[in-house]
PDB file of all heavy atoms in Angstrom:
ATOM      1  N   CYS W 159       8.380  -3.904   6.980  1.00 93.00           N
ATOM      2  CA  CYS W 159       9.030  -2.786   6.285  1.00 93.00           C
ATOM      3  C   CYS W 159       8.218  -1.502   6.393  1.00 93.00           C
ATOM      4  O   CYS W 159       8.717  -0.428   6.065  1.00 93.00           O
ATOM      5  CB  CYS W 159       9.242  -3.139   4.811  1.00 93.00           C
ATOM      6  SG  CYS W 159       7.705  -3.271   3.848  1.00 93.00           S
ATOM      7  N   TYR W 160       6.964  -1.596   6.814  1.00 93.00           N
ATOM      8  CA  TYR W 160       6.068  -0.455   7.053  1.00 93.00           C
ATOM      9  C   TYR W 160       5.610   0.242   5.775  1.00 93.00           C
ATOM     10  O   TYR W 160       4.978   1.299   5.847  1.00 93.00           O
ATOM     11  CB  TYR W 160       6.708   0.577   7.996  1.00 93.00           C
ATOM     12  CG  TYR W 160       7.213  -0.007   9.287  1.00 93.00           C
ATOM     13  CD1 TYR W 160       8.579  -0.075   9.553  1.00 93.00           C
ATOM     14  CD2 TYR W 160       6.337  -0.513  10.240  1.00 93.00           C
ATOM     15  CE1 TYR W 160       9.048  -0.629  10.736  1.00 93.00           C
ATOM     16  CE2 TYR W 160       6.799  -1.062  11.418  1.00 93.00           C
ATOM     17  CZ  TYR W 160       8.142  -1.118  11.666  1.00 93.00           C
ATOM     18  OH  TYR W 160       8.602  -1.671  12.834  1.00 93.00           O
ATOM     19  N   LYS W 161       5.895  -0.314   4.614  1.00 95.00           N
ATOM     20  CA  LYS W 161       5.473   0.340   3.373  1.00 95.00           C
ATOM     21  C   LYS W 161       3.953   0.380   3.257  1.00 95.00           C
ATOM     22  O   LYS W 161       3.378   1.366   2.790  1.00 95.00           O
ATOM     23  CB  LYS W 161       6.089  -0.372   2.172  1.00 95.00           C
ATOM     24  CG  LYS W 161       7.596  -0.202   2.077  1.00 95.00           C
ATOM     25  CD  LYS W 161       8.219  -1.091   1.004  1.00 95.00           C
ATOM     26  CE  LYS W 161       7.908  -0.586  -0.383  1.00 95.00           C
ATOM     27  NZ  LYS W 161       8.650  -1.352  -1.416  1.00 95.00           N
ATOM     28  N   CYS W 162       3.293  -0.670   3.696  1.00 96.00           N
ATOM     29  CA  CYS W 162       1.826  -0.678   3.637  1.00 96.00           C
ATOM     30  C   CYS W 162       1.241   0.357   4.589  1.00 96.00           C
ATOM     31  O   CYS W 162       0.225   1.007   4.271  1.00 96.00           O
ATOM     32  CB  CYS W 162       1.290  -2.070   3.952  1.00 96.00           C
ATOM     33  SG  CYS W 162       1.732  -2.716   5.585  1.00 96.00           S
ATOM     34  N   VAL W 163       1.867   0.525   5.747  1.00 95.00           N
ATOM     35  CA  VAL W 163       1.404   1.528   6.713  1.00 95.00           C
ATOM     36  C   VAL W 163       1.521   2.923   6.117  1.00 95.00           C
ATOM     37  O   VAL W 163       0.604   3.748   6.230  1.00 95.00           O
ATOM     38  CB  VAL W 163       2.217   1.428   8.025  1.00 95.00           C
ATOM     39  CG1 VAL W 163       1.783   2.513   9.012  1.00 95.00           C
ATOM     40  CG2 VAL W 163       2.055   0.050   8.652  1.00 95.00           C
ATOM     41  N   ASP W 164       2.645   3.192   5.459  1.00 95.00           N
ATOM     42  CA  ASP W 164       2.857   4.512   4.862  1.00 95.00           C
ATOM     43  C   ASP W 164       1.905   4.763   3.699  1.00 95.00           C
ATOM     44  O   ASP W 164       1.386   5.869   3.532  1.00 95.00           O
ATOM     45  CB  ASP W 164       4.307   4.637   4.383  1.00 95.00           C
ATOM     46  CG  ASP W 164       5.293   4.719   5.535  1.00 95.00           C
ATOM     47  OD1 ASP W 164       4.860   5.053   6.652  1.00 95.00           O
ATOM     48  OD2 ASP W 164       6.483   4.440   5.329  1.00 95.00           O
ATOM     49  N   ALA W 165       1.684   3.734   2.864  1.00 95.00           N
ATOM     50  CA  ALA W 165       0.805   3.898   1.714  1.00 95.00           C
ATOM     51  C   ALA W 165      -0.639   4.125   2.151  1.00 95.00           C
ATOM     52  O   ALA W 165      -1.387   4.876   1.512  1.00 95.00           O
ATOM     53  CB  ALA W 165       0.886   2.676   0.803  1.00 95.00           C
ATOM     54  N   CYS W 166      -1.043   3.477   3.243  1.00 96.00           N
ATOM     55  CA  CYS W 166      -2.402   3.635   3.758  1.00 96.00           C
ATOM     56  C   CYS W 166      -2.539   4.913   4.581  1.00 96.00           C
ATOM     57  O   CYS W 166      -3.642   5.422   4.767  1.00 96.00           O
ATOM     58  CB  CYS W 166      -2.778   2.427   4.616  1.00 96.00           C
ATOM     59  SG  CYS W 166      -4.502   2.375   5.145  1.00 96.00           S
ATOM     60  N   GLY W 167      -1.410   5.444   5.044  1.00 95.00           N
ATOM     61  CA  GLY W 167      -1.428   6.605   5.925  1.00 95.00           C
ATOM     62  C   GLY W 167      -1.239   7.926   5.215  1.00 95.00           C
ATOM     63  O   GLY W 167      -1.765   8.147   4.122  1.00 95.00           O
ATOM     64  N   ASP W 168      -0.421   8.800   5.813  1.00 93.00           N
ATOM     65  CA  ASP W 168      -0.347  10.185   5.340  1.00 93.00           C
ATOM     66  C   ASP W 168       0.449  10.369   4.057  1.00 93.00           C
ATOM     67  O   ASP W 168       0.449  11.462   3.491  1.00 93.00           O
ATOM     68  CB  ASP W 168       0.226  11.088   6.430  1.00 93.00           C
ATOM     69  CG  ASP W 168       1.652  10.718   6.815  1.00 93.00           C
ATOM     70  OD1 ASP W 168       2.181   9.700   6.299  1.00 93.00           O
ATOM     71  OD2 ASP W 168       2.258  11.440   7.635  1.00 93.00           O
ATOM     72  N   GLN W 169       1.126   9.314   3.576  1.00 94.00           N
ATOM     73  CA  GLN W 169       1.876   9.489   2.344  1.00 94.00           C
ATOM     74  C   GLN W 169       1.017   9.323   1.102  1.00 94.00           C
ATOM     75  O   GLN W 169       1.360   9.827   0.036  1.00 94.00           O
ATOM     76  CB  GLN W 169       3.072   8.524   2.296  1.00 94.00           C
ATOM     77  CG  GLN W 169       4.141   8.875   3.320  1.00 94.00           C
ATOM     78  CD  GLN W 169       5.433   8.127   3.085  1.00 94.00           C
ATOM     79  OE1 GLN W 169       5.876   7.957   1.961  1.00 94.00           O
ATOM     80  NE2 GLN W 169       6.059   7.669   4.165  1.00 94.00           N
ATOM     81  N   TRP W 170      -0.100   8.580   1.216  1.00 94.00           N
ATOM     82  CA  TRP W 170      -0.951   8.425   0.040  1.00 94.00           C
ATOM     83  C   TRP W 170      -2.431   8.391   0.383  1.00 94.00           C
ATOM     84  O   TRP W 170      -3.153   9.341   0.160  1.00 94.00           O
ATOM     85  CB  TRP W 170      -0.567   7.169  -0.767  1.00 94.00           C
ATOM     86  CG  TRP W 170       0.676   7.359  -1.573  1.00 94.00           C
ATOM     87  CD1 TRP W 170       1.847   6.653  -1.488  1.00 94.00           C
ATOM     88  CD2 TRP W 170       0.908   8.344  -2.587  1.00 94.00           C
ATOM     89  NE1 TRP W 170       2.787   7.134  -2.375  1.00 94.00           N
ATOM     90  CE2 TRP W 170       2.237   8.175  -3.061  1.00 94.00           C
ATOM     91  CE3 TRP W 170       0.133   9.356  -3.140  1.00 94.00           C
ATOM     92  CZ2 TRP W 170       2.797   8.959  -4.060  1.00 94.00           C
ATOM     93  CZ3 TRP W 170       0.685  10.156  -4.138  1.00 94.00           C
ATOM     94  CH2 TRP W 170       2.004   9.946  -4.585  1.00 94.00           C
ATOM     95  N   GLN W 171      -2.933   7.299   0.942  1.00 94.00           N
ATOM     96  CA  GLN W 171      -4.373   7.084   1.001  1.00 94.00           C
ATOM     97  C   GLN W 171      -5.072   7.876   2.101  1.00 94.00           C
ATOM     98  O   GLN W 171      -6.244   8.207   2.003  1.00 94.00           O
ATOM     99  CB  GLN W 171      -4.664   5.592   1.173  1.00 94.00           C
ATOM    100  CG  GLN W 171      -6.130   5.197   1.015  1.00 94.00           C
ATOM    101  CD  GLN W 171      -6.677   5.523  -0.363  1.00 94.00           C
ATOM    102  OE1 GLN W 171      -5.935   5.537  -1.337  1.00 94.00           O
ATOM    103  NE2 GLN W 171      -7.977   5.780  -0.450  1.00 94.00           N
ATOM    104  N   ASN W 172      -4.360   8.111   3.218  1.00 95.00           N
ATOM    105  CA  ASN W 172      -4.940   8.823   4.365  1.00 95.00           C
ATOM    106  C   ASN W 172      -6.162   8.112   4.942  1.00 95.00           C
ATOM    107  O   ASN W 172      -7.079   8.754   5.464  1.00 95.00           O
ATOM    108  CB  ASN W 172      -5.291  10.266   3.990  1.00 95.00           C
ATOM    109  CG  ASN W 172      -4.066  11.149   3.888  1.00 95.00           C
ATOM    110  OD1 ASN W 172      -3.447  11.487   4.897  1.00 95.00           O
ATOM    111  ND2 ASN W 172      -3.699  11.514   2.671  1.00 95.00           N
ATOM    112  N   THR W 173      -6.190   6.803   4.848  1.00 95.00           N
ATOM    113  CA  THR W 173      -7.243   6.017   5.471  1.00 95.00           C
ATOM    114  C   THR W 173      -6.838   5.557   6.867  1.00 95.00           C
ATOM    115  O   THR W 173      -7.664   5.428   7.755  1.00 95.00           O
ATOM    116  CB  THR W 173      -7.584   4.786   4.603  1.00 95.00           C
ATOM    117  OG1 THR W 173      -8.057   5.233   3.336  1.00 95.00           O
ATOM    118  CG2 THR W 173      -8.655   3.918   5.249  1.00 95.00           C
ATOM    119  N   PHE W 174      -5.559   5.291   7.051  1.00 95.00           N
ATOM    120  CA  PHE W 174      -4.990   4.898   8.345  1.00 95.00           C
ATOM    121  C   PHE W 174      -5.645   3.629   8.901  1.00 95.00           C
ATOM    122  O   PHE W 174      -5.879   3.504  10.098  1.00 95.00           O
ATOM    123  CB  PHE W 174      -5.109   6.043   9.364  1.00 95.00           C
ATOM    124  CG  PHE W 174      -4.395   7.293   8.945  1.00 95.00           C
ATOM    125  CD1 PHE W 174      -5.098   8.325   8.341  1.00 95.00           C
ATOM    126  CD2 PHE W 174      -3.033   7.432   9.129  1.00 95.00           C
ATOM    127  CE1 PHE W 174      -4.437   9.482   7.932  1.00 95.00           C
ATOM    128  CE2 PHE W 174      -2.366   8.585   8.731  1.00 95.00           C
ATOM    129  CZ  PHE W 174      -3.070   9.612   8.118  1.00 95.00           C
ATOM    130  N   ALA W 175      -5.948   2.704   7.991  1.00 95.00           N
ATOM    131  CA  ALA W 175      -6.531   1.439   8.429  1.00 95.00           C
ATOM    132  C   ALA W 175      -5.461   0.469   8.930  1.00 95.00           C
ATOM    133  O   ALA W 175      -5.767  -0.464   9.668  1.00 95.00           O
ATOM    134  CB  ALA W 175      -7.311   0.795   7.289  1.00 95.00           C
ATOM    135  N   ILE W 176      -4.213   0.672   8.523  1.00 94.00           N
ATOM    136  CA  ILE W 176      -3.130  -0.253   8.850  1.00 94.00           C
ATOM    137  C   ILE W 176      -2.165   0.424   9.815  1.00 94.00           C
ATOM    138  O   ILE W 176      -1.834   1.598   9.665  1.00 94.00           O
ATOM    139  CB  ILE W 176      -2.364  -0.677   7.580  1.00 94.00           C
ATOM    140  CG1 ILE W 176      -3.330  -1.191   6.515  1.00 94.00           C
ATOM    141  CG2 ILE W 176      -1.335  -1.750   7.914  1.00 94.00           C
ATOM    142  CD1 ILE W 176      -2.659  -1.475   5.179  1.00 94.00           C
ATOM    143  N   SER W 177      -1.712  -0.318  10.809  1.00 93.00           N
ATOM    144  CA  SER W 177      -0.741   0.221  11.756  1.00 93.00           C
ATOM    145  C   SER W 177       0.105  -0.919  12.305  1.00 93.00           C
ATOM    146  O   SER W 177      -0.101  -2.085  11.966  1.00 93.00           O
ATOM    147  CB  SER W 177      -1.448   0.952  12.901  1.00 93.00           C
ATOM    148  OG  SER W 177      -2.277   0.055  13.617  1.00 93.00           O
ATOM    149  N   VAL W 178       1.042  -0.578  13.156  1.00 90.00           N
ATOM    150  CA  VAL W 178       1.888  -1.567  13.816  1.00 90.00           C
ATOM    151  C   VAL W 178       1.358  -1.777  15.230  1.00 90.00           C
ATOM    152  O   VAL W 178       1.135  -0.816  15.965  1.00 90.00           O
ATOM    153  CB  VAL W 178       3.351  -1.109  13.869  1.00 90.00           C
ATOM    154  CG1 VAL W 178       4.221  -2.167  14.549  1.00 90.00           C
ATOM    155  CG2 VAL W 178       3.867  -0.824  12.469  1.00 90.00           C
ATOM    156  N   VAL W 179       1.124  -3.021  15.587  1.00 88.00           N
ATOM    157  CA  VAL W 179       0.697  -3.344  16.944  1.00 88.00           C
ATOM    158  C   VAL W 179       1.779  -4.184  17.617  1.00 88.00           C
ATOM    159  O   VAL W 179       2.557  -4.861  16.960  1.00 88.00           O
ATOM    160  CB  VAL W 179      -0.638  -4.113  16.952  1.00 88.00           C
ATOM    161  CG1 VAL W 179      -1.734  -3.283  16.327  1.00 88.00           C
ATOM    162  CG2 VAL W 179      -0.511  -5.444  16.218  1.00 88.00           C
ATOM    163  N   GLY W 180       1.832  -4.124  18.936  1.00 86.00           N
ATOM    164  CA  GLY W 180       2.823  -4.889  19.668  1.00 86.00           C
ATOM    165  C   GLY W 180       4.171  -4.202  19.692  1.00 86.00           C
ATOM    166  O   GLY W 180       4.399  -3.186  19.032  1.00 86.00           O
ATOM    167  N   ARG W 181       5.073  -4.738  20.462  1.00 84.00           N
ATOM    168  CA  ARG W 181       6.412  -4.181  20.612  1.00 84.00           C
ATOM    169  C   ARG W 181       7.451  -5.290  20.543  1.00 84.00           C
ATOM    170  O   ARG W 181       7.160  -6.452  20.858  1.00 84.00           O
ATOM    171  CB  ARG W 181       6.551  -3.443  21.961  1.00 84.00           C
ATOM    172  CG  ARG W 181       5.672  -2.201  22.098  1.00 84.00           C
ATOM    173  CD  ARG W 181       6.142  -1.109  21.154  1.00 84.00           C
ATOM    174  NE  ARG W 181       5.374   0.126  21.306  1.00 84.00           N
ATOM    175  CZ  ARG W 181       4.272   0.399  20.643  1.00 84.00           C
ATOM    176  NH1 ARG W 181       3.792  -0.486  19.781  1.00 84.00           N
ATOM    177  NH2 ARG W 181       3.634   1.546  20.832  1.00 84.00           N
ATOM    178  N   GLY W 182       8.657  -4.924  20.125  1.00 80.00           N
ATOM    179  CA  GLY W 182       9.747  -5.887  20.080  1.00 80.00           C
ATOM    180  C   GLY W 182       9.439  -7.069  19.177  1.00 80.00           C
ATOM    181  O   GLY W 182       8.975  -6.900  18.044  1.00 80.00           O
ATOM    182  N   PHE W 183       9.671  -8.278  19.686  1.00 78.00           N
ATOM    183  CA  PHE W 183       9.432  -9.479  18.890  1.00 78.00           C
ATOM    184  C   PHE W 183       7.945  -9.696  18.616  1.00 78.00           C
ATOM    185  O   PHE W 183       7.575 -10.483  17.749  1.00 78.00           O
ATOM    186  CB  PHE W 183      10.012 -10.710  19.588  1.00 78.00           C
ATOM    187  CG  PHE W 183      11.510 -10.784  19.520  1.00 78.00           C
ATOM    188  CD1 PHE W 183      12.284 -10.555  20.651  1.00 78.00           C
ATOM    189  CD2 PHE W 183      12.151 -11.067  18.327  1.00 78.00           C
ATOM    190  CE1 PHE W 183      13.671 -10.605  20.593  1.00 78.00           C
ATOM    191  CE2 PHE W 183      13.540 -11.126  18.261  1.00 78.00           C
ATOM    192  CZ  PHE W 183      14.296 -10.889  19.389  1.00 78.00           C
ATOM    193  N   ASP W 184       7.091  -9.024  19.365  1.00 82.00           N
ATOM    194  CA  ASP W 184       5.646  -9.182  19.171  1.00 82.00           C
ATOM    195  C   ASP W 184       5.075  -8.163  18.197  1.00 82.00           C
ATOM    196  O   ASP W 184       3.863  -8.151  17.952  1.00 82.00           O
ATOM    197  CB  ASP W 184       4.917  -9.053  20.513  1.00 82.00           C
ATOM    198  CG  ASP W 184       5.268 -10.184  21.468  1.00 82.00           C
ATOM    199  OD1 ASP W 184       5.474 -11.316  20.978  1.00 82.00           O
ATOM    200  OD2 ASP W 184       5.366  -9.933  22.685  1.00 82.00           O
ATOM    201  N   ALA W 185       5.899  -7.293  17.630  1.00 86.00           N
ATOM    202  CA  ALA W 185       5.405  -6.280  16.689  1.00 86.00           C
ATOM    203  C   ALA W 185       4.906  -6.947  15.420  1.00 86.00           C
ATOM    204  O   ALA W 185       5.497  -7.904  14.919  1.00 86.00           O
ATOM    205  CB  ALA W 185       6.515  -5.285  16.362  1.00 86.00           C
ATOM    206  N   ARG W 186       3.806  -6.416  14.891  1.00 88.00           N
ATOM    207  CA  ARG W 186       3.246  -6.947  13.664  1.00 88.00           C
ATOM    208  C   ARG W 186       2.350  -5.905  13.024  1.00 88.00           C
ATOM    209  O   ARG W 186       1.906  -4.959  13.655  1.00 88.00           O
ATOM    210  CB  ARG W 186       2.449  -8.224  13.926  1.00 88.00           C
ATOM    211  CG  ARG W 186       1.299  -8.044  14.906  1.00 88.00           C
ATOM    212  CD  ARG W 186       0.629  -9.351  15.230  1.00 88.00           C
ATOM    213  NE  ARG W 186      -0.005  -9.928  14.064  1.00 88.00           N
ATOM    214  CZ  ARG W 186      -0.323 -11.210  13.952  1.00 88.00           C
ATOM    215  NH1 ARG W 186      -0.024 -12.041  14.918  1.00 88.00           N
ATOM    216  NH2 ARG W 186      -0.918 -11.662  12.864  1.00 88.00           N
ATOM    217  N   ILE W 187       2.078  -6.090  11.735  1.00 92.00           N
ATOM    218  CA  ILE W 187       1.186  -5.207  11.012  1.00 92.00           C
ATOM    219  C   ILE W 187      -0.252  -5.701  11.208  1.00 92.00           C
ATOM    220  O   ILE W 187      -0.513  -6.897  11.138  1.00 92.00           O
ATOM    221  CB  ILE W 187       1.517  -5.192   9.510  1.00 92.00           C
ATOM    222  CG1 ILE W 187       2.986  -4.784   9.297  1.00 92.00           C
ATOM    223  CG2 ILE W 187       0.579  -4.260   8.754  1.00 92.00           C
ATOM    224  CD1 ILE W 187       3.313  -3.382   9.736  1.00 92.00           C
ATOM    225  N   ALA W 188      -1.179  -4.778  11.441  1.00 91.00           N
ATOM    226  CA  ALA W 188      -2.559  -5.188  11.669  1.00 91.00           C
ATOM    227  C   ALA W 188      -3.505  -4.024  11.411  1.00 91.00           C
ATOM    228  O   ALA W 188      -3.095  -2.863  11.361  1.00 91.00           O
ATOM    229  CB  ALA W 188      -2.755  -5.698  13.101  1.00 91.00           C
ATOM    230  N   VAL W 189      -4.774  -4.342  11.251  1.00 91.00           N
ATOM    231  CA  VAL W 189      -5.807  -3.318  11.254  1.00 91.00           C
ATOM    232  C   VAL W 189      -6.267  -3.147  12.696  1.00 91.00           C
ATOM    233  O   VAL W 189      -5.802  -3.846  13.601  1.00 91.00           O
ATOM    234  CB  VAL W 189      -6.990  -3.708  10.342  1.00 91.00           C
ATOM    235  CG1 VAL W 189      -6.526  -3.813   8.907  1.00 91.00           C
ATOM    236  CG2 VAL W 189      -7.613  -5.024  10.799  1.00 91.00           C
ATOM    237  N   GLU W 190      -7.183  -2.208  12.937  1.00 88.00           N
ATOM    238  CA  GLU W 190      -7.591  -1.930  14.303  1.00 88.00           C
ATOM    239  C   GLU W 190      -8.121  -3.189  14.994  1.00 88.00           C
ATOM    240  O   GLU W 190      -8.871  -3.968  14.424  1.00 88.00           O
ATOM    241  CB  GLU W 190      -8.646  -0.819  14.347  1.00 88.00           C
ATOM    242  CG  GLU W 190      -9.860  -1.060  13.480  1.00 88.00           C
ATOM    243  CD  GLU W 190      -9.759  -0.378  12.128  1.00 88.00           C
ATOM    244  OE1 GLU W 190      -8.656  -0.336  11.564  1.00 88.00           O
ATOM    245  OE2 GLU W 190     -10.787   0.121  11.650  1.00 88.00           O
ATOM    246  N   HIS W 191      -7.643  -3.372  16.225  1.00 85.00           N
ATOM    247  CA  HIS W 191      -8.010  -4.517  17.066  1.00 85.00           C
ATOM    248  C   HIS W 191      -7.579  -5.849  16.461  1.00 85.00           C
ATOM    249  O   HIS W 191      -8.056  -6.908  16.899  1.00 85.00           O
ATOM    250  CB  HIS W 191      -9.522  -4.531  17.342  1.00 85.00           C
ATOM    251  CG  HIS W 191     -10.068  -3.242  17.874  1.00 85.00           C
ATOM    252  ND1 HIS W 191      -9.648  -2.704  19.078  1.00 85.00           N
ATOM    253  CD2 HIS W 191     -10.968  -2.362  17.352  1.00 85.00           C
ATOM    254  CE1 HIS W 191     -10.276  -1.561  19.291  1.00 85.00           C
ATOM    255  NE2 HIS W 191     -11.071  -1.322  18.253  1.00 85.00           N
ATOM    256  N   ASP W 192      -6.713  -5.790  15.436  1.00 86.00           N
ATOM    257  CA  ASP W 192      -6.194  -7.002  14.800  1.00 86.00           C
ATOM    258  C   ASP W 192      -7.326  -7.917  14.343  1.00 86.00           C
ATOM    259  O   ASP W 192      -7.247  -9.142  14.436  1.00 86.00           O
ATOM    260  CB  ASP W 192      -5.274  -7.768  15.763  1.00 86.00           C
ATOM    261  CG  ASP W 192      -4.356  -8.747  15.022  1.00 86.00           C
ATOM    262  OD1 ASP W 192      -4.210  -8.594  13.798  1.00 86.00           O
ATOM    263  OD2 ASP W 192      -3.815  -9.656  15.678  1.00 86.00           O
ATOM    264  N   GLY W 193      -8.400  -7.307  13.844  1.00 86.00           N
ATOM    265  CA  GLY W 193      -9.576  -8.079  13.461  1.00 86.00           C
ATOM    266  C   GLY W 193      -9.631  -8.363  11.976  1.00 86.00           C
ATOM    267  O   GLY W 193      -8.667  -8.151  11.238  1.00 86.00           O
ATOM    268  N   PRO W 194     -10.770  -8.841  11.507  1.00 89.00           N
ATOM    269  CA  PRO W 194     -10.954  -9.093  10.073  1.00 89.00           C
ATOM    270  C   PRO W 194     -10.884  -7.801   9.283  1.00 89.00           C
ATOM    271  O   PRO W 194     -11.274  -6.734   9.773  1.00 89.00           O
ATOM    272  CB  PRO W 194     -12.356  -9.710   9.997  1.00 89.00           C
ATOM    273  CG  PRO W 194     -12.665 -10.171  11.385  1.00 89.00           C
ATOM    274  CD  PRO W 194     -11.941  -9.248  12.292  1.00 89.00           C
TER     275      PRO W 194
END
Side-chain angles (χ1 to χ4, degrees):
C159 68
Y160 307 111
K161 292 171 73 173
C162 60
V163 177
D164 290 340
C166 188
D168 62 355
Q169 291 192 41
W170 284 120
Q171 190 61 29
N172 285 289
T173 298
F174 300 98
I176 308 173
S177 62
V178 181
V179 299
R181 295 292 183 271
F183 286 108
D184 294 325
R186 59 185 296 160
I187 303 296
V189 297
E190 54 264 37
H191 308 298
D192 199 17

